[in-house]
Amino acid sequence: MSENWTEREVPSQRGRVAVITGANTGLGFDTAKVLAERGATVVLAVRDVEKGKQAAARFGANADVTVQELDLASLESVRAASADLHATLPKIDLLINNAGVMYPPRQSTRDGFELQFGTNHLGHFAFTGLLLDLLLPVEGSRVVTVASIAHRIRASIHFDDLQWENSYDRVAAYGQAKLANLMFAYELQRRLAPHGTTASIAAHPGVARTELMRNSPAVARALFPLVAPLFTQSSERGALPILRAATDPAALGGQYYGPAGPGGYRGRPEVVASSPQSYDVAVQQRLWAVSEELTAVNFPVG
């Protein structure tokens, strides 16, 4: 495996179909751009279709890029998007679960879930389950779930109050959602392994300069421009762990890619370790069962 892996090492993606959530901006856009440049058919799955069309217009004239409406905060929208994709795509080679919200004030999804847990985890859980039949027949297909170093920050799975109805801590709620992303990726790989065709791999971008910081506390937003050069990296570099997880022939199911620098803030993309609690199989399986119950989506594996 290359120690200096860059987007130049992404192999040809011609003939492959990639569906990327939240791909109209930031990490999702940068990931989609590289995949399209390598010849993939790319679907930008986005909440705001008009912004998605504007993003699609930024791709080269030869790029095969379409826009799919997807609001991960609505299970109705998730099911509608899945139906649309089943009607238009013969297969999916890459499903990249990238979209997310971070540190908003307490809000609920249309289905009554806390916004961060409902969007970042449950929306992607349902979307993946509904599309998995388009991935399973495809040798070498992958599900890449984007996590965060925030899965280590005041994070645990609060089964007694998953929706933060008793009290709300935006930082801890984001930590729970990103920890859930990782646990989902690991448990999904355990269930996919017997099939031998599809791999589940996780990735995180370090601290990338994207629009995700817009809901951060005012103090953090004020300080960010001052300290950013010390521990952040561009969105393009933040996308590299995602691209490596999605395309490196040497990547394996169950791995976690992220920047190799101190703290995981920035650096070249490599296989990294997640927090000890993220590997707790009992919690992974309990979270899976709860997620199936909340979303009413049952996976064709397990």
Side-chain angles (χ1 to χ4, degrees), residues 17 19 81-94 128-138 141 198 300:
V17 177
V19 177
S82 170
D84 288 346
L85 294 173
H86 274 88
T88 56
L89 299 178
K91 64 165 186 170
I92 296 175
D93 296 85
L94 297 174
T128 303
L130 293 168
L131 292 179
L132 201 57
D133 63 315
L134 291 176
L135 289 128
L136 283 174
V138 182
S141 56
T198 307

Side-chain angles (χ1 to χ4, degrees), residues 54-274:
Q54 293 172 9
R58 296 167 58 194
F59 288 78
N62 297 323
D64 185 357
V65 179
T66 58
V67 177
Q68 171 61 52
E69 182 175 6
L70 171 67
D71 182 357
L72 290 162
S74 163
L75 291 177
E76 181 181 7
S77 176
V78 170
R79 290 183 180 278
S82 170
D84 288 346
L85 294 173
H86 274 88
T88 56
L89 299 178
K91 64 165 186 170
I92 296 175
D93 296 85
L94 297 174
L95 172 59
I96 300 180
N97 293 323
N98 160 79
V101 292
M102 183 174 78
Y103 300 163
R106 176 68 171 83
Q107 300 175 57
S108 296
T109 70
R110 295 184 191 179
D111 304 285
F113 307 133
E114 185 275 317
L115 185 63
Q116 297 184 90
F117 186 70
T119 301
N120 299 355
H121 169 60
L122 292 175
H124 280 126
F125 180 92
F127 194 52
T128 303
L130 293 168
L131 292 179
L132 201 57
D133 63 315
L134 291 176
L135 289 128
L136 283 174
V138 182
E139 188 71 35
S141 56
R142 296 179 185 181
V143 177
V144 177
T145 300
V146 180
S148 167
I149 57 174
H151 85 277
R152 298 176 178 274
I153 302 173
R154 290 156 59 184
S156 63
I157 306 299
H158 297 268
F159 289 109
D160 59 338
D161 188 17
L162 282 173
Q163 312 307 336
W164 299 86
E165 294 170 317
N166 296 329
S167 64
Y168 181 64
D169 180 326
R170 68 176 72 188
V171 174
Y174 184 66
Q176 172 180 262
K178 301 316 287 185
L179 176 60
N181 285 151
L182 265 174
M183 289 187 151
F184 164 62
Y186 293 153
E187 178 62 19
L188 178 59
Q189 173 57 28
R190 187 175 298 109
R191 292 165 180 256
L192 287 171
H195 294 263
T197 55
T198 307
S200 171
I201 306 174
H204 81 89
V207 182
R209 296 187 290 275
T210 70
E211 295 180 4
L212 201 59
M213 289 290 292
R214 61 184 176 272
N215 289 315
S216 298
V219 173
R221 293 198 306 272
L223 292 175
F224 190 74
L226 302 177
V227 299
L230 302 177
F231 67 92
T232 69
Q233 58 186 4
S234 67
S235 177
E236 291 83 0
R237 287 195 60 81
L240 291 181
I242 304 169
L243 284 164
R244 188 165 193 178
T247 68
D248 190 335
L252 301 174
Q255 289 181 322
Y256 181 38
Y257 282 84
Y265 297 150
R266 60 182 181 178
R268 61 183 181 274
E270 292 186 0
V271 175
V272 297
S274 55

